[in-house]
Amino acid sequence: MKTAKRLSDLGTETAFRVAQAAADWRAQGNRVYPFHLGDLDFPMAPHIVEAMNRAIADGKTGYCPGPGIPELRAALAEDIGSRRGIDIDPAEVVVTTGGKPVITKFLQAVMDPGQSVLYPNPGFPIYESQIEYLGGRGLPYGYVPTEDGFAIDLDRLRDSIDETTVAIIYNDLQNPISAESTAEEREAIAQIAQEHNLWVLSDEAYFEMRYGGESTSIATLPGMRERTVILYTFSKKFAMTGSRLGCAVAPKEIAEAISTMNTNDESCTTHYVQWAGISALQGPQGGVAEMLDVLRARRDAACTLINAIPGMEVAVPESTFYIFPDATEAMAAKGIATLSDFSTEALHATGVSFCTREHFGRPLPGEDRKYIRLAYSGIGEDDIVEGLTKLREWVEAG
């Protein structure tokens, strides 16, 4: 029996492959320091759990509207709009089973087979996977290192656009590199989108996962509201990764299309989880601030220790829970040529498990630096110190 040819174009979230390698190493009795997966080791806040349990007890366990229950759509419109300084009609909000489905459904709504979409690389690997799986052509745009981290290579982005390009995926506060656009860069992306009449998917999963300053949505810029779809998720801010709850905020024609896809794909997002989402948005927010305080301390410890490793350096990011160190000289000192070998040897020698640049899109022509990605969302500060100290000692040993 043959399977569909398109399956060969379907990628995966490659961090899970690293997780499996780490699990196998742990199963052999070895210590593992898990920097590989961007999951959170914080529990859901008690009031959110209580709201979910109450909804189950109240019988909210059956079907509900495909675009989401009205109460949650209204709460999302108020919360997302007020935090971004824009007015959102609840009819523009479509509830989804996490943020990830918004990527697929956005592409299905705006891209026909053979058309092309710009996407960040390195970036969340599902962008590339879904563009190609749906018959599109991915146009990767890269980043250049700066003193503060990374900036979008705007020249490469502009040069990639052709007559088939219909959309750009834009991930400010970016996974995996934690890059945040300056106002000028954000305005440049908006100008490009308008000049070429492109739809924009603004992936704002980490919009409120920041340690200083304020986030700005590209949807607030002149001329952008009518062409931008915002991806929102409860996974990060509320530590609800396994609950699978998110939404798209979209112009009504796209919102209606995504709602129809919901009905075709899942029927609806889990009813009682949506009531938990309302409680998350409208209930006490102290737990969010406490989580960010813990993550800030972990970030500071990780960055200090990484920058103490000979041949590694990283800028201190103001957002997300990832760091993306340059490990080029450290690899050379160890005599290791490939990132795959570096990650495997580091795991076996130190127990430190991490992803590499190659887990976040195919490397672009001309790349000559070697980067790794460490997530500090699921590992405590003491283990960060212990694990990265072992990594430093291993690198120093040459």
Side-chain angles (χ1 to χ4, degrees):
M1 298 290 287
K2 292 183 178 180
T3 57
K5 292 181 179 179
R6 64 177 174 271
L7 291 176
S8 63
D9 293 322
L10 189 63
T12 186
E13 191 166 347
T14 47
F16 289 107
R17 293 177 179 168
V18 182
Q20 185 59 55
D24 292 344
W25 186 243
R26 183 186 289 111
Q28 297 174 41
N30 300 294
R31 178 69 186 274
V32 171
Y33 301 91
F35 290 93
H36 48 268
L37 197 59
D39 202 355
L40 291 148
D41 61 349
F42 300 85
M44 281 197 301
H47 67 279
I48 302 176
V49 176
E50 290 168 7
M52 188 181 298
N53 290 338
R54 186 166 56 251
I56 294 172
D58 290 344
K60 294 180 170 62
T61 56
Y63 290 125
C64 60
I69 60 174
E71 295 87 345
L72 179 57
R73 297 174 79 189
L76 283 163
E78 170 60 28
D79 187 84
I80 296 172
S82 63
R83 294 181 186 277
R84 288 158 181 76
I86 54 178
D87 292 327
I88 297 175
D89 186 331
E92 298 173 305
V93 177
V94 183
V95 178
T96 54
T97 53
K100 193 179 293 184
V102 178
I103 301 169
T104 303
K105 292 173 182 180
F106 166 82
L107 292 169
Q108 288 177 303
V110 306
M111 183 195 76
D112 285 318
Q115 293 181 323
S116 61
V117 174
L118 294 151
Y119 70 95
N121 183 349
F124 189 46
I126 301 304
Y127 304 146
E128 182 178 82
S129 170
Q130 286 299 299
I131 292 168
E132 295 180 355
Y133 179 68
L134 294 170
R137 185 165 57 92
L139 302 177
Y141 62 88
Y143 293 79
V144 293
T146 72
E147 289 184 0
D148 300 320
F150 296 90
I152 293 174
D153 187 342
L154 290 170
D155 290 335
R156 182 187 183 96
L157 189 155
R158 291 189 181 96
D159 290 343
S160 298
I161 299 171
D162 61 25
E163 67 278 359
T164 71
T165 310
V166 295
I168 177 172
I169 298 175
Y170 173 59
N171 182 200
D172 203 353
L173 286 70
Q174 204 253 33
N175 172 21
I177 64 178
S178 294
E180 180 178 5
S181 288
T182 62
E184 293 76 17
E185 182 177 88
R186 193 176 299 109
E187 289 164 4
I189 296 295
Q191 182 180 13
I192 290 168
Q194 293 177 64
E195 285 177 355
H196 295 275
N197 195 30
L198 304 179
W199 289 102
V200 177
L201 175 61
S202 182
D203 185 341
E204 300 183 6
Y206 299 92
F207 191 84
E208 294 166 62
M209 300 301 294
R210 60 178 310 129
Y211 312 107
E214 294 183 1
S215 298
T216 300
S217 173
I218 196 171
T220 65
L221 301 184
M224 293 304 295
R225 184 78 171 81
E226 60 269 26
R227 68 176 64 250
T228 301
V229 174
I230 294 173
L231 182 158
Y232 177 91
T233 177
F234 286 79
S235 292
K236 317 304 181 185
K237 177 181 178 181
F238 299 111
M240 293 176 65
T241 52
S243 298
R244 310 314 304 141
L245 186 62
C247 79
V249 178
K252 288 184 180 179
E253 61 183 308
I254 302 298
E256 291 172 359
I258 293 176
S259 177
T260 300
M261 291 177 210
N262 281 3
T263 302
N264 278 264
D265 292 347
E266 306 93 19
S267 294
C268 59
T269 301
T270 305
H271 193 174
Y272 52 84
V273 172
Q274 295 190 53
W275 287 97
I278 295 171
S279 180
L281 293 169
Q282 297 180 345
Q285 301 295 303
V288 176
E290 291 174 4
M291 180 172 66
L292 285 171
D293 286 342
V294 172
L295 289 171
R296 181 187 292 106
R298 293 180 183 180
R299 176 205 63 178
D300 292 345
C303 288
T304 298
L305 289 159
I306 285 292
N307 284 321
I309 298 175
M312 285 196 195
E313 60 178 345
V314 68
V316 180
E318 287 294 339
S319 63
T320 79
F321 35 68
Y322 309 107
I323 54 175
F324 200 69
D326 185 332
T328 308
E329 277 72 38
M331 289 177 58
K334 295 295 291 182
I336 299 173
T338 69
L339 283 165
S340 176
D341 286 346
F342 186 62
S343 63
T344 299
E345 292 191 31
L347 174 64
H348 293 171
T350 71
V352 174
S353 175
F354 53 80
C355 295
T356 74
R357 184 268 178 266
E358 294 174 351
H359 291 101
F360 299 96
R362 304 180 187 100
L364 302 175
E367 287 190 23
D368 59 358
R369 307 299 294 178
K370 307 290 188 181
Y371 292 93
I372 62 175
R373 191 207 73 170
L374 291 86
Y376 50 87
S377 53
I379 179 170
E381 188 174 348
D382 289 345
D383 283 347
I384 288 173
V385 173
E386 186 174 303
L388 294 184
T389 298
K390 290 183 179 182
L391 186 66
R392 174 179 58 77
E393 292 170 347
W394 174 66
V395 171
E396 286 177 339

